[in-house]
Amino acid sequence: MSRLRWNHNIHYHRIVLEAIPDDAVSALDVGTGDGLLARDLAHKVPDVTAIDLDRDVVDSARAEFSGINFLIGDVMTYDFRRKFDVVGSVATLHHLANLPAALRHLAGLTAPGGVLVVVGLARPTRLSDFAMDAVGVIQHRWLSWRRGLWEHSAPTVWPLPHSYAQVRQAAAAELPGVAWRKLPLFRYALVWYKPER
């Protein structure tokens, strides 16, 4: 994992890495940004592709990390001509306007028997959301003081277009059997294993 840099997204790379099937040989990092998840995936999977719309961050990641197939493009329209054993997305889903279509498309890029893992940001609307975010504020202060907060260079989207409830509902509809978790540090996780058939 990316231990020399820390922020909320890097903190949860482990969720993607822990979900990788034992026999996985290929991975796609969706919205790679500075390439740190792609680098972490490359320690566990031999064939890693990473895609992002932003040319500057992709060029920077390509210069820093070798052995990864970095692509500049829109994951929703790019023709990969293949499927991947692992499709990972950290802090990217809220950049994609049509949430159900995005989840459906990422599921389509996942090979049978593979895994789709999304760590994302969403808008709090329920009391439980605000309570978890309050825990996140405390955790953020402690970890930022202890590890130092590294600011990524990738573009951001604000305000967040989807609520936690909307993400959970869309995931349940598009990814039958998906595991959902609300996380501290203002994140959620979706882990979905695609059936073999």
Side-chain angles (χ1 to χ4, degrees):
M1 281 182 26
S2 302
R3 290 189 177 87
L4 298 180
R5 302 172 197 173
W6 182 86
N7 63 26
H8 298 177
N9 296 329
I10 296 167
H11 185 79
Y12 288 120
H13 283 187
R14 62 183 167 77
I15 292 177
V16 180
L17 302 176
E18 289 167 2
I20 296 173
D22 291 338
D23 58 350
V25 296
S26 63
L28 174 65
D29 177 12
V30 177
T32 190
D34 295 288
L36 297 176
L37 177 61
R39 186 197 66 177
D40 289 348
L41 285 166
H43 289 304
K44 297 194 76 170
V45 179
D47 175 12
V48 177
T49 297
I51 188 167
D52 200 289
L53 272 172
D54 190 276
R55 179 175 297 278
D56 290 340
V57 294
V58 171
D59 286 346
S60 176
R62 190 179 280 139
E64 186 171 0
F65 305 122
S66 60
I68 296 165
N69 180 26
F70 284 103
L71 304 172
I72 299 165
D74 183 346
V75 69
M76 296 298 291
T77 58
Y78 194 91
D79 184 6
F80 293 97
R81 301 183 183 211
R82 61 185 293 202
K83 296 183 186 299
F84 300 87
D85 299 320
V86 180
V87 176
S89 171
V90 175
T92 299
L93 196 59
H94 63 284
H95 289 259
L96 305 176
N98 187 326
L99 177 61
L103 289 170
R104 196 176 316 122
H105 186 67
L106 296 182
L109 290 172
T110 308
V115 66
L116 166 61
V117 186
V118 175
V119 175
L121 296 81
R123 202 173 59 247
T125 55
R126 298 177 176 175
L127 188 58
S128 58
D129 298 338
F130 289 105
M132 185 66 89
D133 283 356
V135 172
V137 169
I138 296 166
Q139 189 176 15
H140 164 78
R141 289 179 180 165
W142 167 251
L143 290 170
S144 294
W145 171 78
R146 191 165 169 237
R147 299 184 183 181
L149 180 64
W150 176 75
E151 293 289 348
H152 64 78
S153 64
T156 59
V157 169
W158 202 265
L160 297 169
H162 315 117
S163 70
Y164 289 110
Q166 288 171 322
V167 174
R168 189 171 189 172
Q169 289 164 4
E174 299 298 335
L175 308 171
V178 67
W180 153 274
R181 273 199 292 167
K182 176 75 176 69
L183 304 166
L185 296 176
F186 324 107
R187 300 293 186 273
Y188 65 83
L190 304 172
V191 179
W192 179 70
Y193 289 92
K194 187 168 188 172
E196 291 280 357
R197 297 181 187 202

